[in-house]
Amino acid sequence: MKILGLLLMAAGWGAPVEVRVDDEVCATYEAKLAGEELVVRVKLGKGWHTFAMDNALRAAEALKGKKALGMDQPTKVTVGDGLTLAGPWKQTAPTDFSKPELRIFTWGYEGEAVFVVPVKRVGEVGKIGVKAQACTASICKNIDVKVDVGTAGEKVEGAGLEVVRTN
């Protein structure tokens, strides 16, 4: 276990945080500073999915004023002490999981997703906060974790990332 931790730190990621439902890992979160960007990665367990940062806005637009029959929680990341945001968030382009016939509109990820934001260091960097929701076809798990931020990572290329919509 110590060897694995050393390999992860060498890659620039902070220690991973696993979120479990019973004995099953539904999501694992990691974070690192890559140059002047904060990178947050989620790896999802088999059969699990999570949601885009702008999921609520996308759903509201698709509903066109109608009431939703269900609403999945967006991913939210808060930077802790030592960092301030210096630009807009970007995210892996999400997949449309919507079921219009049920008036359910939602966008998200299976497998893995990355969230990236430019930051300025203003002190000692510690942890970030992640609030999200991970679901299978039958259950959902609300997530509220603190994630260590690693350093010395390489800059993330913008391919496949899109700016998180705010209005």
Side-chain angles (χ1 to χ4, degrees):
M1 190 63 142
K2 284 187 175 185
I3 293 173
L4 178 61
L6 290 173
L7 290 173
L8 288 171
M9 293 302 289
W13 295 102
V17 175
E18 289 183 346
V19 178
R20 294 179 171 270
V21 173
D22 298 323
D23 292 335
E24 186 178 352
V25 175
C26 62
T28 302
Y29 292 89
E30 299 173 293
K32 70 178 175 179
L33 286 175
E36 294 182 3
E37 293 181 324
L38 171 65
V39 181
V40 180
R41 177 170 65 186
V42 58
K43 293 181 181 179
L44 297 150
K46 185 175 181 182
W48 289 89
H49 58 272
T50 194
F51 304 98
M53 293 180 104
D54 51 9
N55 194 49
L57 175 65
R58 290 170 185 261
E61 288 174 353
L63 286 163
K64 299 178 184 166
K66 294 179 182 171
K67 185 174 178 159
L69 298 182
M71 179 66 69
D72 296 306
Q73 298 302 308
T75 299
K76 296 179 183 175
V77 179
T78 54
V79 298
D81 295 335
L83 294 174
T84 60
L85 300 182
W89 279 97
K90 292 182 181 176
Q91 62 188 352
T92 301
T95 299
D96 187 347
F97 297 141
S98 298
K99 297 176 183 170
E101 68 281 3
L102 300 176
R103 232 180 319 151
I104 297 172
F105 294 94
T106 192
W107 288 259
Y109 311 100
E110 295 175 320
E112 183 176 312
V114 176
F115 307 96
V116 180
V117 68
V119 292
K120 293 205 183 293
R121 290 183 76 157
V122 293
E124 187 70 27
V125 177
K127 295 181 183 274
I128 59 162
V130 177
K131 287 188 177 187
Q133 187 178 51
C135 299
T136 66
S138 59
I139 62 169
C140 287
K141 167 79 173 166
N142 288 328
I143 297 169
D144 187 356
V145 295
K146 299 289 184 196
V147 181
D148 288 321
V149 178
T151 57
E154 294 180 17
K155 185 174 169 123
V156 174
E157 295 301 321
L161 296 179
E162 64 182 39
V163 174
V164 173
R165 297 169 47 203
T166 57
N167 54 25

